[in-house]
Amino acid sequence: MTTSSTKVTPTAGLDRAALLLDAFDGPGRLTLAEIVRRTGLPRSSAHRMLERLVQLRWLRRSGRDYELGMRLFELGSLAVHQDRIHQAALPFLHELHRRTGYVVHLAILEGTDVVYLEKICGRFGMGLPSRVGGRQPAHCTSVGKALLAYSPQSVVDRVLAAGLQRKTTFSIGSAPQLHAELGHIRDRGAAFDRGEALTGVSCVAAPIGTENNVVGAISVCGPSNQMKLDHRLAAPVRVAAAGAWRALSSEAMARPSVEHSVA
Amino acid sequence: MTTSSTKVTPTAGLDRAALLLDAFDGPGRLTLAEIVRRTGLPRSSAHRMLERLVQLRWLRRSGRDYELGMRLFELGSLAVHQDRIHQAALPFLHELHRRTGYVVHLAILEGTDVVYLEKICGRFGMGLPSRVGGRQPAHCTSVGKALLAYSPQSVVDRVLAAGLQRKTTFSIGSAPQLHAELGHIRDRGAAFDRGEALTGVSCVAAPIGTENNVVGAISVCGPSNQMKLDHRLAAPVRVAAAGAWRALSSEAMARPSVEHSVA
């Protein structure tokens, strides 16, 4: 038990916890042996941290397996519930779903991916690869393309530098193709996706924000054979995105600056 | 800067991180001063931990405020996405929503509260106090009462020991009332809530599982003046809960025991 007396700085303990939790990003349940293999942490120290994470309910134990726990779920739900973009957009997402009947997404840009903050859907939505909290490469999705079209050039450069991984044969695969597409999106104020993330599925997205000041995007998705990607379908999506942006802007103006002077 | 050289054990660093994150359970944005006040941690050490949490994206900084970050949201979403009860129940929740048109909830018992794992809803659902990842006292909700009715006596005793906090004038307020109600629920296989969590809102719930082996509950909710709480409304809820239990049981049997022998 040489590690039981090991002393580390507080942030080193935190880094180990992050390393342990990151090991669960993807596969689901893991045994202690698998966690040790994935993290490279000493077995006894990993075990002690895991047991403490179970007590804190950040993980839970099921037999000899560990999996992500309910406290993480509660804090994570709170993170999105308290998110200002999510709060501002939510009524417009429901209204858009009611008006069009399509699956509605709200997404933000994180690095070169989009992360879905919300998904309003019926049964069709269950078959889609998107999920709340999940990621997709930005250039393969309508929400991602809408975000990129209104982002600074440095953001687009980062996506190009990461390589344009293709999800389907229709995904954008070259820099000239991406630049042309982003130009089209700026012209029409909406992004179309014809099977670029998933074959047989089409989407229309609009950005929340203005050029070089975009904070998210809203889309509708449905079966390609039932969706005509034109300005008539883009209109309600643009209305929803504009409504969310207005709500967000007025909320930011109304927020008292008093809280900033407490510290 | 006396604390900069403080050494702590790995789990102590983890405990500090948990203490810091727990401070965000409720209020939303916090300044460093507010966090120091809530946690009792030394200012310099709190600041160092907070900055590391921002780097890890567990928190994010907005001016001088800190708030819960996207990494927590991603891990938390993964926790519920990988949850076996959630996976088993999801198709039945959508089917129940499609059949009844009401808001559909999936909840589990955590201590004396229910935690909502899923909420399938339209606009009406937005006005409800329930949210995914949120809590309510078990005895005030139909899902909670369905869970308690099929839980061991020790669980019910814990709820009674915690005191029966009332959400409305219709909430259950005494031990005899709770015992009688749980008996009725076992008789009819479903729990009714007439404005006990929120005035003007009614719910019908059914347990996922069997007596002393219940893992969750499913409910439908709607405006009290549009819902007749009887066996005809209980029937589709019971069908959904039974379907989820069957899916969960067959999944548990199908799961290879090989993974348990890896460690």
PDB file of all heavy atoms in Angstrom, chain A residues 215-237:
ATOM      1  N   VAL A 215     -24.209  32.475 -31.346  1.00  0.00           N
ATOM      2  CA  VAL A 215     -24.085  31.729 -30.086  1.00  0.00           C
ATOM      3  C   VAL A 215     -24.693  30.335 -30.155  1.00  0.00           C
ATOM      4  O   VAL A 215     -24.483  29.511 -29.264  1.00  0.00           O
ATOM      5  CB  VAL A 215     -24.754  32.490 -28.926  1.00  0.00           C
ATOM      6  CG1 VAL A 215     -24.053  33.812 -28.673  1.00  0.00           C
ATOM      7  CG2 VAL A 215     -26.254  32.710 -29.185  1.00  0.00           C
ATOM      8  N   GLY A 216     -25.468  30.054 -31.207  1.00  0.00           N
ATOM      9  CA  GLY A 216     -26.106  28.754 -31.312  1.00  0.00           C
ATOM     10  C   GLY A 216     -26.839  28.637 -32.628  1.00  0.00           C
ATOM     11  O   GLY A 216     -26.752  29.548 -33.472  1.00  0.00           O
ATOM     12  N   ALA A 217     -27.519  27.521 -32.838  1.00  0.00           N
ATOM     13  CA  ALA A 217     -28.313  27.344 -34.057  1.00  0.00           C
ATOM     14  C   ALA A 217     -29.493  26.440 -33.745  1.00  0.00           C
ATOM     15  O   ALA A 217     -29.431  25.594 -32.844  1.00  0.00           O
ATOM     16  CB  ALA A 217     -27.464  26.758 -35.174  1.00  0.00           C
ATOM     17  N   ILE A 218     -30.563  26.647 -34.500  1.00  0.00           N
ATOM     18  CA  ILE A 218     -31.793  25.863 -34.350  1.00  0.00           C
ATOM     19  C   ILE A 218     -32.058  25.164 -35.677  1.00  0.00           C
ATOM     20  O   ILE A 218     -31.860  25.757 -36.736  1.00  0.00           O
ATOM     21  CB  ILE A 218     -32.982  26.790 -33.996  1.00  0.00           C
ATOM     22  CG1 ILE A 218     -32.805  27.356 -32.586  1.00  0.00           C
ATOM     23  CG2 ILE A 218     -34.318  26.039 -34.106  1.00  0.00           C
ATOM     24  CD1 ILE A 218     -33.858  28.395 -32.193  1.00  0.00           C
ATOM     25  N   SER A 219     -32.478  23.893 -35.632  1.00  0.00           N
ATOM     26  CA  SER A 219     -32.789  23.191 -36.878  1.00  0.00           C
ATOM     27  C   SER A 219     -34.083  22.402 -36.767  1.00  0.00           C
ATOM     28  O   SER A 219     -34.538  22.090 -35.663  1.00  0.00           O
ATOM     29  CB  SER A 219     -31.654  22.225 -37.257  1.00  0.00           C
ATOM     30  OG  SER A 219     -31.649  21.101 -36.409  1.00  0.00           O
ATOM     31  N   VAL A 220     -34.658  22.086 -37.933  1.00  0.00           N
ATOM     32  CA  VAL A 220     -35.713  21.068 -38.030  1.00  0.00           C
ATOM     33  C   VAL A 220     -35.155  19.925 -38.868  1.00  0.00           C
ATOM     34  O   VAL A 220     -34.412  20.149 -39.820  1.00  0.00           O
ATOM     35  CB  VAL A 220     -37.016  21.609 -38.675  1.00  0.00           C
ATOM     36  CG1 VAL A 220     -37.720  22.581 -37.749  1.00  0.00           C
ATOM     37  CG2 VAL A 220     -36.764  22.248 -40.031  1.00  0.00           C
ATOM     38  N   CYS A 221     -35.499  18.690 -38.490  1.00  0.00           N
ATOM     39  CA  CYS A 221     -35.023  17.499 -39.192  1.00  0.00           C
ATOM     40  C   CYS A 221     -36.197  16.580 -39.495  1.00  0.00           C
ATOM     41  O   CYS A 221     -37.114  16.460 -38.690  1.00  0.00           O
ATOM     42  CB  CYS A 221     -34.061  16.691 -38.321  1.00  0.00           C
ATOM     43  SG  CYS A 221     -32.470  17.437 -38.148  1.00  0.00           S
ATOM     44  N   GLY A 222     -36.095  15.910 -40.630  1.00  0.00           N
ATOM     45  CA  GLY A 222     -37.124  14.935 -40.978  1.00  0.00           C
ATOM     46  C   GLY A 222     -36.630  14.005 -42.064  1.00  0.00           C
ATOM     47  O   GLY A 222     -35.487  14.147 -42.552  1.00  0.00           O
ATOM     48  N   PRO A 223     -37.471  13.048 -42.474  1.00  0.00           N
ATOM     49  CA  PRO A 223     -37.091  12.143 -43.565  1.00  0.00           C
ATOM     50  C   PRO A 223     -36.939  12.941 -44.863  1.00  0.00           C
ATOM     51  O   PRO A 223     -37.782  13.773 -45.172  1.00  0.00           O
ATOM     52  CB  PRO A 223     -38.292  11.189 -43.667  1.00  0.00           C
ATOM     53  CG  PRO A 223     -39.121  11.419 -42.441  1.00  0.00           C
ATOM     54  CD  PRO A 223     -38.837  12.799 -41.967  1.00  0.00           C
ATOM     55  N   SER A 224     -35.839  12.692 -45.604  1.00  0.00           N
ATOM     56  CA  SER A 224     -35.541  13.455 -46.817  1.00  0.00           C
ATOM     57  C   SER A 224     -36.686  13.409 -47.820  1.00  0.00           C
ATOM     58  O   SER A 224     -36.963  14.393 -48.504  1.00  0.00           O
ATOM     59  CB  SER A 224     -34.267  12.926 -47.473  1.00  0.00           C
ATOM     60  OG  SER A 224     -33.163  13.175 -46.644  1.00  0.00           O
ATOM     61  N   ASN A 225     -37.391  12.275 -47.904  1.00  0.00           N
ATOM     62  CA  ASN A 225     -38.461  12.159 -48.900  1.00  0.00           C
ATOM     63  C   ASN A 225     -39.724  12.921 -48.502  1.00  0.00           C
ATOM     64  O   ASN A 225     -40.682  12.976 -49.251  1.00  0.00           O
ATOM     65  CB  ASN A 225     -38.792  10.680 -49.174  1.00  0.00           C
ATOM     66  CG  ASN A 225     -39.186   9.928 -47.902  1.00  0.00           C
ATOM     67  OD1 ASN A 225     -39.422  10.549 -46.864  1.00  0.00           O
ATOM     68  ND2 ASN A 225     -39.264   8.613 -47.987  1.00  0.00           N
ATOM     69  N   GLN A 226     -39.724  13.510 -47.285  1.00  0.00           N
ATOM     70  CA  GLN A 226     -40.889  14.293 -46.862  1.00  0.00           C
ATOM     71  C   GLN A 226     -40.569  15.779 -46.714  1.00  0.00           C
ATOM     72  O   GLN A 226     -41.436  16.573 -46.377  1.00  0.00           O
ATOM     73  CB  GLN A 226     -41.421  13.785 -45.517  1.00  0.00           C
ATOM     74  CG  GLN A 226     -42.080  12.414 -45.583  1.00  0.00           C
ATOM     75  CD  GLN A 226     -42.430  11.909 -44.194  1.00  0.00           C
ATOM     76  OE1 GLN A 226     -42.649  12.674 -43.262  1.00  0.00           O
ATOM     77  NE2 GLN A 226     -42.480  10.595 -44.048  1.00  0.00           N
ATOM     78  N   MET A 227     -39.285  16.145 -46.932  1.00  0.00           N
ATOM     79  CA  MET A 227     -38.876  17.532 -46.688  1.00  0.00           C
ATOM     80  C   MET A 227     -38.418  18.197 -47.969  1.00  0.00           C
ATOM     81  O   MET A 227     -37.522  17.678 -48.636  1.00  0.00           O
ATOM     82  CB  MET A 227     -37.717  17.584 -45.682  1.00  0.00           C
ATOM     83  CG  MET A 227     -38.109  17.302 -44.266  1.00  0.00           C
ATOM     84  SD  MET A 227     -36.687  17.569 -43.188  1.00  0.00           S
ATOM     85  CE  MET A 227     -37.106  19.129 -42.445  1.00  0.00           C
ATOM     86  N   LYS A 228     -39.008  19.352 -48.298  1.00  0.00           N
ATOM     87  CA  LYS A 228     -38.525  20.136 -49.438  1.00  0.00           C
ATOM     88  C   LYS A 228     -37.667  21.268 -48.862  1.00  0.00           C
ATOM     89  O   LYS A 228     -38.167  22.124 -48.132  1.00  0.00           O
ATOM     90  CB  LYS A 228     -39.728  20.696 -50.211  1.00  0.00           C
ATOM     91  CG  LYS A 228     -39.352  21.322 -51.532  1.00  0.00           C
ATOM     92  CD  LYS A 228     -40.456  21.244 -52.576  1.00  0.00           C
ATOM     93  CE  LYS A 228     -40.051  21.977 -53.841  1.00  0.00           C
ATOM     94  NZ  LYS A 228     -40.638  23.317 -53.941  1.00  0.00           N
ATOM     95  N   LEU A 229     -36.373  21.222 -49.165  1.00  0.00           N
ATOM     96  CA  LEU A 229     -35.458  22.200 -48.569  1.00  0.00           C
ATOM     97  C   LEU A 229     -35.517  23.500 -49.359  1.00  0.00           C
ATOM     98  O   LEU A 229     -34.791  23.671 -50.334  1.00  0.00           O
ATOM     99  CB  LEU A 229     -34.029  21.643 -48.531  1.00  0.00           C
ATOM    100  CG  LEU A 229     -33.841  20.336 -47.757  1.00  0.00           C
ATOM    101  CD1 LEU A 229     -32.370  19.973 -47.662  1.00  0.00           C
ATOM    102  CD2 LEU A 229     -34.436  20.440 -46.362  1.00  0.00           C
ATOM    103  N   ASP A 230     -36.392  24.405 -48.957  1.00  0.00           N
ATOM    104  CA  ASP A 230     -36.504  25.689 -49.638  1.00  0.00           C
ATOM    105  C   ASP A 230     -36.808  26.796 -48.628  1.00  0.00           C
ATOM    106  O   ASP A 230     -36.862  26.543 -47.417  1.00  0.00           O
ATOM    107  CB  ASP A 230     -37.572  25.633 -50.734  1.00  0.00           C
ATOM    108  CG  ASP A 230     -38.955  25.315 -50.175  1.00  0.00           C
ATOM    109  OD1 ASP A 230     -39.136  25.377 -48.933  1.00  0.00           O
ATOM    110  OD2 ASP A 230     -39.851  25.004 -50.962  1.00  0.00           O
ATOM    111  N   HIS A 231     -37.019  28.020 -49.151  1.00  0.00           N
ATOM    112  CA  HIS A 231     -37.191  29.171 -48.263  1.00  0.00           C
ATOM    113  C   HIS A 231     -38.463  29.053 -47.419  1.00  0.00           C
ATOM    114  O   HIS A 231     -38.565  29.623 -46.352  1.00  0.00           O
ATOM    115  CB  HIS A 231     -37.211  30.465 -49.072  1.00  0.00           C
ATOM    116  CG  HIS A 231     -38.412  30.603 -49.948  1.00  0.00           C
ATOM    117  ND1 HIS A 231     -38.508  29.969 -51.171  1.00  0.00           N
ATOM    118  CD2 HIS A 231     -39.592  31.243 -49.754  1.00  0.00           C
ATOM    119  CE1 HIS A 231     -39.687  30.254 -51.723  1.00  0.00           C
ATOM    120  NE2 HIS A 231     -40.365  31.019 -50.879  1.00  0.00           N
ATOM    121  N   ARG A 232     -39.465  28.286 -47.928  1.00  0.00           N
ATOM    122  CA  ARG A 232     -40.705  28.169 -47.156  1.00  0.00           C
ATOM    123  C   ARG A 232     -40.487  27.375 -45.871  1.00  0.00           C
ATOM    124  O   ARG A 232     -41.094  27.647 -44.854  1.00  0.00           O
ATOM    125  CB  ARG A 232     -41.800  27.499 -47.998  1.00  0.00           C
ATOM    126  CG  ARG A 232     -42.683  28.541 -48.702  1.00  0.00           C
ATOM    127  CD  ARG A 232     -43.704  27.851 -49.527  1.00  0.00           C
ATOM    128  NE  ARG A 232     -43.064  26.887 -50.431  1.00  0.00           N
ATOM    129  CZ  ARG A 232     -43.644  26.388 -51.526  1.00  0.00           C
ATOM    130  NH1 ARG A 232     -44.868  26.740 -51.839  1.00  0.00           N
ATOM    131  NH2 ARG A 232     -42.995  25.533 -52.292  1.00  0.00           N
ATOM    132  N   LEU A 233     -39.602  26.363 -45.946  1.00  0.00           N
ATOM    133  CA  LEU A 233     -39.288  25.605 -44.733  1.00  0.00           C
ATOM    134  C   LEU A 233     -38.279  26.384 -43.875  1.00  0.00           C
ATOM    135  O   LEU A 233     -38.295  26.297 -42.640  1.00  0.00           O
ATOM    136  CB  LEU A 233     -38.721  24.226 -45.106  1.00  0.00           C
ATOM    137  CG  LEU A 233     -38.428  23.271 -43.951  1.00  0.00           C
ATOM    138  CD1 LEU A 233     -39.637  23.122 -43.024  1.00  0.00           C
ATOM    139  CD2 LEU A 233     -38.021  21.900 -44.481  1.00  0.00           C
ATOM    140  N   ALA A 234     -37.403  27.149 -44.541  1.00  0.00           N
ATOM    141  CA  ALA A 234     -36.400  27.924 -43.793  1.00  0.00           C
ATOM    142  C   ALA A 234     -37.054  29.032 -42.964  1.00  0.00           C
ATOM    143  O   ALA A 234     -36.561  29.378 -41.879  1.00  0.00           O
ATOM    144  CB  ALA A 234     -35.368  28.518 -44.750  1.00  0.00           C
ATOM    145  N   ALA A 235     -38.180  29.563 -43.472  1.00  0.00           N
ATOM    146  CA  ALA A 235     -38.795  30.732 -42.820  1.00  0.00           C
ATOM    147  C   ALA A 235     -39.101  30.505 -41.332  1.00  0.00           C
ATOM    148  O   ALA A 235     -38.663  31.293 -40.480  1.00  0.00           O
ATOM    149  CB  ALA A 235     -40.040  31.170 -43.583  1.00  0.00           C
ATOM    150  N   PRO A 236     -39.857  29.445 -40.970  1.00  0.00           N
ATOM    151  CA  PRO A 236     -40.170  29.283 -39.532  1.00  0.00           C
ATOM    152  C   PRO A 236     -38.931  29.012 -38.675  1.00  0.00           C
ATOM    153  O   PRO A 236     -38.901  29.371 -37.498  1.00  0.00           O
ATOM    154  CB  PRO A 236     -41.128  28.083 -39.504  1.00  0.00           C
ATOM    155  CG  PRO A 236     -40.928  27.367 -40.788  1.00  0.00           C
ATOM    156  CD  PRO A 236     -40.547  28.416 -41.789  1.00  0.00           C
ATOM    157  N   VAL A 237     -37.910  28.393 -39.281  1.00  0.00           N
ATOM    158  CA  VAL A 237     -36.659  28.134 -38.532  1.00  0.00           C
ATOM    159  C   VAL A 237     -35.953  29.458 -38.252  1.00  0.00           C
ATOM    160  O   VAL A 237     -35.472  29.699 -37.134  1.00  0.00           O
ATOM    161  CB  VAL A 237     -35.739  27.160 -39.311  1.00  0.00           C
ATOM    162  CG1 VAL A 237     -34.517  26.808 -38.470  1.00  0.00           C
ATOM    163  CG2 VAL A 237     -36.495  25.901 -39.715  1.00  0.00           C
TER     164      VAL A 237
END
